[in-house]
């Protein structure tokens, strides 16, 4: 729901994080924060076990999983758009900074992680990418950067995971997009 709501809000130029914060002031409302999709070892995988067993009775489960995958595609499209904006301004392919790889804030777990999928898309498209994940020392496929190198070398920065440490990062007025609610 939160991911779909964030896409709807974007269409109408409404800050989804502010909207959710206001809605959550009601004592019986607890809308989660939107992200760049849904990952992890449970929510991203387990619903498919049910859907496989009873596909005709699990339409909502299937649609929910499809919609969360749509959110990841939506984020990729938004990143493409921002990259093209920066490219037209600097007259070259921009160097991209990505903040966060894990499936949720403040963990090192990369299982079924939409942020990891997104970053791989841009690395595989031959963009010069800098990736900072404070909860990992290294990764088998992605070269991790220090936060200082990412800020210094990137032309545009994308927040993919709402790690607490990112709330204190000064990106030096670089263009950015926040897909995880760092800036509410």
């Amino acid at each position: 729901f939160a991911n779909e709501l964030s896409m709807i809000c974007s269409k109408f130029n409404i800050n989804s994080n502010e909207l959710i914060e206001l809605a959550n002031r009601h004592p019986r409302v607890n809308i989660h924060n939107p992200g760049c999709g849904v990952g992890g070892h449970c929510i991203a995988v387990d619903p498919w076990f049910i859907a496989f067993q009873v596909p005709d009775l699990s339409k909502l489960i299937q649609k929910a999983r499809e919609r969360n995958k749509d959110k990841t595609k939506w984020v990729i499209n938004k990143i493409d758009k921002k990259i093209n904006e920066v490219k037209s301004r600097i007259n070259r392919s921009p160097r991209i900074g990505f903040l966060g790889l894990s499936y949720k804030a403040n963990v090192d777990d990369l299982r079924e992680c939409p942020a990891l999928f997104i970053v791989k898309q841009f690395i595989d498209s031959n963009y010069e990418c800098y990736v900072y994940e404070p909860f990992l020392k290294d990764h088998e496929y992605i070269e991790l950067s220090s936060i200082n190198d990412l800020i210094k070398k990137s032309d545009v920065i994308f927040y993919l995971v709402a790690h607490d440490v990112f709330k204190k990062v000064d990106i030096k007025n670089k263009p950015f997009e926040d897909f995880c609610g760092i800036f509410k």
Side-chain angles (χ1 to χ4, degrees):
F1 176 71
N3 283 335
E4 185 166 84
L5 185 60
S6 71
M7 292 185 285
I8 293 167
C9 285
S10 177
K11 175 93 171 145
F12 294 104
N13 204 24
I14 296 169
N15 184 320
S16 63
N17 295 310
E18 289 178 9
L19 179 72
I20 290 169
E21 188 176 313
L22 285 170
N24 285 346
R25 288 182 180 176
H26 189 283
R28 291 182 303 277
V29 174
N30 184 22
I31 302 170
H32 292 262
N33 293 323
C36 58
V38 173
H41 60 284
C42 294
I43 297 173
V45 178
D46 292 353
W48 290 118
F49 294 123
I50 298 167
F52 178 76
Q53 293 297 317
V54 286
D56 55 322
L57 298 175
S58 60
K59 301 295 184 197
L60 182 60
I61 291 170
Q62 294 172 53
K63 188 52 96 177
R65 289 305 308 131
E66 290 168 15
R67 196 62 178 146
N68 281 316
K69 288 192 177 290
D70 289 345
K71 177 66 187 279
T72 303
K73 294 173 195 169
W74 182 86
V75 168
I76 290 169
N77 289 333
K78 290 288 223 180
I79 291 172
D80 273 330
K81 183 178 177 185
K82 187 71 168 186
I83 286 171
N84 287 328
E85 288 173 15
V86 172
K87 185 177 185 176
S88 68
R89 190 175 43 81
I90 64 175
N91 295 315
R92 64 172 169 75
S93 184
R95 297 173 302 229
I96 307 167
F98 291 105
L99 294 172
L101 285 178
S102 63
Y103 83 89
K104 71 176 185 176
N106 305 316
V107 301
D108 65 354
D109 195 338
L110 300 181
R111 288 179 284 181
E112 302 297 321
C113 185
L116 180 61
F117 177 80
I118 291 165
V119 169
K120 283 182 178 181
Q121 297 297 304
F122 289 93
I123 289 172
D124 291 346
S125 295
N126 294 316
Y127 281 100
E128 187 175 341
C129 297
Y130 298 90
V131 181
Y132 178 62
E133 172 49 66
F135 293 93
L136 295 178
K137 290 186 169 113
D138 59 8
H139 187 270
E140 63 185 295
Y141 179 78
I142 296 171
E143 182 179 338
L144 299 177
S145 302
S146 70
I147 189 65
N148 291 332
D149 277 349
L150 182 143
I151 293 167
K152 180 179 169 184
K153 295 177 180 178
S154 298
D155 297 305
V156 59
I157 297 173
F158 300 100
Y159 290 85
L160 299 179
V161 182
H163 294 311
D164 289 342
V165 68
F166 295 161
K167 296 173 185 172
K168 300 172 189 156
V169 171
D170 179 4
I171 60 171
K172 312 287 185 214
N173 295 319
K174 299 216 176 189
F176 72 93
E177 289 285 333
D178 174 12
F179 294 108
C180 57
I182 291 291
F183 302 99
K184 292 190 177 192

